[in-house]
Amino acid sequence: MQTNPRLQSLPCLVATLALLGSAVASQDALAQQPLRFEAEDITEPKDAWQVDKFSEDKWNLWSTDKDAEKKWSEGVVLQSPRVMQDRAKPEDGAPVLHAVVKDIKPGKYYVDLGGVSRAIGISFDGKTWQRIEGSKRNLGLIEVGEAGFELWLDDRYASAASPGSCYFDYLQFTPLPDPNRKPKVEGFAKTRVEEPLGRGIVALPKADGSIYVGWRLLKGDSEDTAFNIYRRSGSDQRQLNDVPLAKTTDFVDKTPAPGVKNEYVVAPVVGGKVGRMSEIAAAVPSKEGRDYVAVKLDGDHTFQKCGIADLNGDGVYDYVIKQPNSNIDPYEKYWNRSPDTYKIEAYLADGTFLWRYDMGWAIERGIWYSPWLAYDLDGDGKAEVCVKAGEGDPRDQDGRVASGPEYLLILDGMTGKETARVEWPDRGDFPSYNYASRNQMAVAFLDGKTPSLLVVRGTYNVIQVRAYEYQSGKLRQQWRWNDAEEGGRYRGQGAHSMHAADIDGDGRDEVFLGSAVLDDNGVGLWSTGLGHPDHHYVGDIDPSRPGLEVYYGIEARAPRNGCCLVDARTGEILWGLDVPTRHVHSTGMCADIDATVPGIEAYSSDTDAEKKSNVRWLFDAKGNILRDDLDWGFGFKTVHWDADLQHEILRGRRILNYGSDDAIAEIEGSAVGYADVLGDWREELIVTVPGELRIYTTTIPAADRRVCLMQDPLYRIDVCLQAMGYTQCPMTTKCLSAE
């Protein structure tokens, strides 16, 4: 039998590796480099294994496998006997291994266990054991003291899907980078930039001949603010309320003037003093009723995404759309040649068509090629439109765009004219066209006052992020980040949507890339290491706990935690699904749909081999499975529509209460946006029909009132990002039903 020459010099190698580890850890320039310790160098007892000899009661120090040098670190791995079922007794099988790492600088490290994905038993004290398996065998963030690090390993657990030997290849320690290596962001704003919203008054005819009127309660209104409502129809002008309205911010006019336009305004009343009149809303009584406001498009097209923002600074939300409603994915299996280009169009709330911007052939027709959003970045009260752009026609012979310059452009919201540009993060570091073609944008208040624009390239592999401030027609870079800064644990942790929220109470937003979060200064805050989530929701999911939580549906195969709830501040997994998942898919759901269960419910669906919905779970906020028999597919949407504090469910074109199949409202067309843009705190549906943008809104009288949801910072950013990626319904900083 030939022996691997490396195995004949283990003592020397141990000493060399120890010196190397110590040197690397002590050098600032290499502080982020991972330290790898081979299993055979750090593990006792040595008589627990044989060399290149398989048995049922010893580990095998295996080096003769085909392509061993490629498969195993240093070409050697510790292989256990076959484990076909969980051992009845811990002493069965091979002896327990004790790995000790002493030559490592004290500090915090992300620790990874190298080896095949099959289950292996681990213990941090030699007494309490846990099963670990899967392609990502992360032990978490561990503080290593002066005494070093210890780990016990045993072959006591079998992998249900693929029973057999387990493997221990190495322990890898990635130092926790210095969280203060980048300065805090300081933007131009002295106070937080906020939209100067008006009352958002809306009037809609009901089928019984009455007219429903709704308006906003603003966060600047005092608790004792009430409202008067006034109607003008022809020459008749009158106040409709006998006493100021204080319970709700809506009113049903049961006696409107028939057959003519009825115009309504509201005014706040505080201490008997009447304040500023609102904008006007008008409606004509109708026997058919109407629960939407329509904006006529400049053409008969539909649209894919909608940005909601005030373009002219009048306190009324306007609409920016991307059309047509089609999508091409960069993944080879789904990719096809773009038949035409995307166009961005802007409309005022009154239907005025402002401008059209052709994204051109440098931007393929898919959501990952064409990130964009609308937001007031410079604090002048008027929103800008931000787009990814290229130049000319750089398509290759097949029709792919894999070369050519790429830019972030800022467009004036009223004219569509370019006001600033910088280069987009380049393609160079990405291993494939698919990975390089994944792009997103986001807005975050990194200093708590100034809106910052973030541009992102990468989801499944390399991830690059740039943060910019926009002021006086110029973009200024605030920081840049690459997953390599964090030693590898952040690679491939991106999602199909982003979020921004203050999770540590310092007034500054952190940035949720997916299964990883960046602190406000552009350094890694935490990573679960679970891999790419198809959906993730940030909000007050479990109101019995302080702070925010994140609900994840993980796309990558997972032995457990394919659906899980995580503490938003620390990344700690609070609960997780304890069964293997194949591919938790699409948008899922996170919303309060069940009044009998505290907190917010979450729904996800796993796939079978054909990517069909196979297994489904509805969880409560504590992780209890409420139902696993629902036929909701991969995801559906929710909306606050009726008078209670729970969300209603939008399935197809019907709005339903959970547990009922009786529609409380129906829409025409396809909903592409969900936000509180009109009337009181309940939400609207932004719907595309050929040649028209519709804003569907409830006409059900309210039971109470609350501040406009768009003035909740987390909710507002979520709505902004609906122009990007997978469309997810927005979350709130506080669970409404828990207030």
Side-chain angles (χ1 to χ4, degrees):
M1 180 186 71
Q2 266 193 326
T3 303
N4 189 322
R6 179 180 142 71
L7 304 182
Q8 299 174 351
S9 58
L10 288 184
C12 179
L13 205 64
V14 172
T16 303
L17 201 63
L19 289 172
L20 260 175
S22 203
V24 169
S26 66
Q27 295 178 34
D28 292 339
L30 300 176
Q32 313 314 318
Q33 297 297 316
L35 308 174
R36 180 171 291 188
F37 298 87
E38 302 298 324
E40 63 273 18
D41 296 340
I42 58 172
T43 302
E44 298 287 345
K46 300 298 184 185
D47 61 1
W49 65 77
Q50 306 171 105
V51 177
D52 290 322
K53 183 179 180 181
F54 185 86
S55 70
E56 296 299 331
D57 61 355
K58 295 275 189 177
W59 293 81
N60 175 25
L61 187 58
W62 191 19
S63 66
T64 59
D65 189 24
K66 184 179 180 182
D67 298 326
E69 291 290 339
K70 295 181 180 179
K71 293 171 65 174
W72 316 120
S73 180
E74 301 290 339
V76 186
V77 69
L78 280 170
Q79 176 197 35
S80 80
R82 286 179 290 266
V83 190
M84 307 310 293
Q85 58 185 15
D86 289 358
R87 307 287 195 198
K89 297 179 292 184
E91 56 268 24
D92 291 348
V96 172
L97 300 178
H98 183 203
V100 181
V101 179
K102 293 183 177 181
D103 297 296
I104 187 170
K105 184 180 178 180
K108 292 182 177 179
Y109 297 83
Y110 291 111
V111 184
D112 297 285
L113 175 66
V116 176
S117 61
R118 287 197 185 111
I120 190 170
I122 65 166
S123 173
F124 293 101
D125 59 7
K127 300 175 183 177
T128 305
W129 291 86
Q130 59 181 288
R131 178 196 301 262
I132 185 168
E133 62 185 312
S135 57
K136 302 282 187 181
R137 302 205 294 182
N138 309 122
L139 306 187
L141 183 63
I142 293 173
E143 186 161 3
V144 177
E146 295 289 345
F149 175 83
E150 292 184 89
L151 186 71
W152 286 261
L153 306 100
D154 194 22
D155 62 337
R156 62 180 62 195
Y157 300 120
S159 295
S162 177
S165 299
C166 62
Y167 297 80
F168 175 30
D169 193 5
Y170 59 82
L171 287 174
Q172 183 165 289
F173 296 75
T174 303
L176 182 69
D178 178 7
N180 301 311
R181 67 184 186 271
K182 298 178 186 178
K184 292 290 185 181
V185 169
E186 297 298 339
F188 64 79
K190 304 302 181 185
T191 58
R192 188 179 178 95
V193 172
E194 296 182 316
E195 299 165 308
L197 291 181
R199 291 294 171 187
I201 188 168
V202 62
L204 292 166
K206 294 169 65 73
D208 62 1
S210 64
I211 292 177
Y212 173 88
V213 185
W215 61 93
R216 293 186 185 120
L217 182 71
L218 300 171
K219 73 175 187 178
D221 294 328
S222 61
E223 289 187 5
D224 60 343
T225 299
F227 293 89
N228 288 339
I229 181 167
Y230 307 89
R231 182 187 71 202
R232 180 174 68 194
S233 50
S235 60
D236 180 46
Q237 301 184 54
R238 64 181 67 186
Q239 180 177 320
L240 299 180
N241 56 298
D242 296 325
V243 296
L245 306 170
K247 184 179 179 181
T248 69
T249 51
D250 68 349
F251 182 85
V252 178
D253 182 6
K254 297 182 178 180
T255 59
V260 300
K261 181 167 56 176
N262 290 257
E263 297 180 325
Y264 300 88
V265 297
V266 295
V269 182
V270 181
K273 184 178 180 180
V274 179
R276 182 180 177 182
M277 296 286 181
S278 73
E279 59 271 32
I280 298 171
V284 178
S286 165
K287 291 182 179 180
E288 292 77 29
R290 182 172 173 175
D291 54 359
Y292 66 87
V293 175
V295 175
K296 182 72 175 69
L297 302 182
D298 185 44
D300 294 327
H301 48 270
T302 59
F303 56 94
Q304 180 198 56
K305 295 286 186 179
C306 180
I308 301 167
D310 184 358
L311 299 177
N312 60 358
D314 64 353
V316 178
Y317 281 122
D318 307 302
Y319 304 94
V320 186
I321 64 170
K322 183 177 74 175
Q323 59 99 347
N325 188 10
S326 66
N327 184 56
I328 295 168
D329 193 276
Y331 182 48
E332 184 67 33
K333 185 178 179 179
Y334 307 124
W335 182 89
N336 57 79
R337 190 183 184 100
S338 297
D340 202 348
T341 60
Y342 275 138
K343 284 82 175 174
I344 305 291
E345 297 175 354
Y347 298 84
L348 295 180
D350 64 5
T352 301
F353 171 64
L354 296 176
W355 51 266
R356 178 177 292 112
Y357 170 83
D358 194 323
M359 300 189 87
W361 289 112
I363 302 296
E364 294 185 63
R365 210 163 78 179
I367 56 176
W368 309 121
Y369 306 103
S370 59
W372 72 282
L373 54 81
Y375 203 84
D376 178 17
L377 297 174
D378 59 4
D380 67 352
K382 301 177 181 180
E384 287 73 41
V385 178
C386 315
V387 301
K388 181 176 182 287
E391 287 182 356
D393 185 354
R395 291 175 294 171
D396 63 18
Q397 192 172 8
D398 292 332
R400 291 178 175 83
V401 177
S403 63
E406 299 171 287
Y407 305 102
L408 161 67
L409 301 189
I410 306 297
L411 308 180
D412 182 276
M414 286 296 292
T415 67
K417 303 296 184 183
E418 179 184 332
T419 63
R421 73 166 55 191
V422 292
E423 291 186 354
W424 195 266
D426 70 43
R427 309 176 177 93
D429 293 337
F430 291 82
S432 71
Y433 166 85
N434 178 32
Y435 292 158
S437 299
R438 308 280 171 167
N439 303 275
Q440 296 189 67
M441 289 187 196
V443 170
F445 285 74
L446 301 175
D447 69 347
K449 303 182 294 292
T450 308
S452 294
L453 179 65
L454 295 104
V455 299
V456 182
R457 183 169 220 138
T459 298
Y460 299 115
N461 191 263
V462 175
I463 305 175
Q464 300 179 10
V465 186
R466 307 284 188 271
Y468 294 97
E469 174 189 89
Y470 177 71
Q471 187 188 24
S472 302
K474 296 181 179 179
L475 284 162
R476 178 181 69 86
Q477 184 172 283
Q478 297 169 308
W479 50 255
R480 57 195 293 159
W481 178 88
N482 187 302
D483 65 272
E485 293 181 29
E486 315 299 338
R489 189 168 173 84
Y490 287 59
R491 179 151 295 185
Q493 303 297 308
H496 295 311
S497 57
M498 296 176 64
H499 304 281
D502 176 18
I503 58 177
D504 55 10
D506 65 353
R508 298 166 177 260
D509 283 348
E510 282 70 44
V511 180
F512 289 78
L513 301 175
S515 293
V517 174
L518 303 184
D519 208 348
D520 51 83
N521 62 339
V523 302
L525 187 62
W526 55 259
S527 170
T528 66
L530 294 173
H532 158 69
D534 246 20
H535 52 263
H536 72 303
Y537 292 84
V538 180
D540 186 21
I541 298 168
D542 183 358
S544 69
R545 300 183 67 258
L548 304 177
E549 296 82 33
V550 195
Y551 174 72
Y552 286 111
I554 303 297
E555 178 183 289
R557 287 179 181 264
R560 64 187 186 282
N561 298 328
C563 304
C564 60
L565 193 74
V566 168
D567 184 301
R569 184 178 64 84
T570 66
E572 176 192 359
I573 297 176
L574 303 172
W575 57 258
L577 183 67
D578 198 25
V579 298
T581 51
R582 182 186 184 93
H583 180 157
V584 180
H585 198 38
S586 197
T587 58
M589 179 218 74
C590 197
D592 186 3
I593 61 173
D594 190 341
T596 68
V597 179
I600 287 174
E601 292 75 57
Y603 169 88
S604 296
S605 180
D606 203 6
T607 65
D608 60 17
E610 285 74 42
K611 282 198 170 184
K612 296 178 180 179
S613 179
N614 184 34
V615 189
R616 313 164 192 101
W617 305 275
L618 179 67
F619 303 95
D620 70 10
K622 297 296 185 182
N624 300 303
I625 298 175
L626 301 175
R627 295 185 62 178
D628 61 4
D629 62 341
L630 296 166
D631 61 351
W632 291 344
F634 294 123
F636 56 95
K637 300 299 186 288
T638 59
V639 59
H640 281 295
W641 193 264
D642 62 17
D644 59 35
L645 296 179
Q646 277 66 49
H647 290 83
E648 281 63 57
I649 296 169
L650 176 67
R651 298 207 60 204
R653 298 182 176 183
R654 305 169 72 231
I655 299 174
L656 313 163
N657 280 303
Y658 171 59
S660 173
D661 199 42
D662 297 327
I664 58 176
E666 295 190 29
I667 66 171
E668 297 181 48
S670 298
V672 300
Y674 311 81
D676 175 18
V677 295
L678 294 174
D680 68 2
W681 65 272
R682 294 168 296 174
E683 295 174 295
E684 282 67 56
L685 301 175
I686 311 302
V687 172
T688 176
V689 298
E692 197 170 86
L693 180 154
R694 292 184 180 178
I695 305 104
Y696 278 86
T697 187
T698 187
T699 59
I700 299 171
D704 61 2
R705 70 180 196 177
R706 49 190 23 83
V707 170
C708 171
L709 300 184
M710 291 288 266
Q711 293 191 305
D712 179 325
L714 190 155
Y715 184 96
R716 181 65 184 94
I717 296 300
D718 270 6
V719 170
C720 170
L721 301 186
Q722 288 182 4
M724 271 300 316
Y726 284 1
T727 301
Q728 295 188 172
C729 295
M731 302 286 285
T732 52
T733 304
K734 294 292 184 183
C735 176
L736 299 188
S737 64
E739 293 180 339

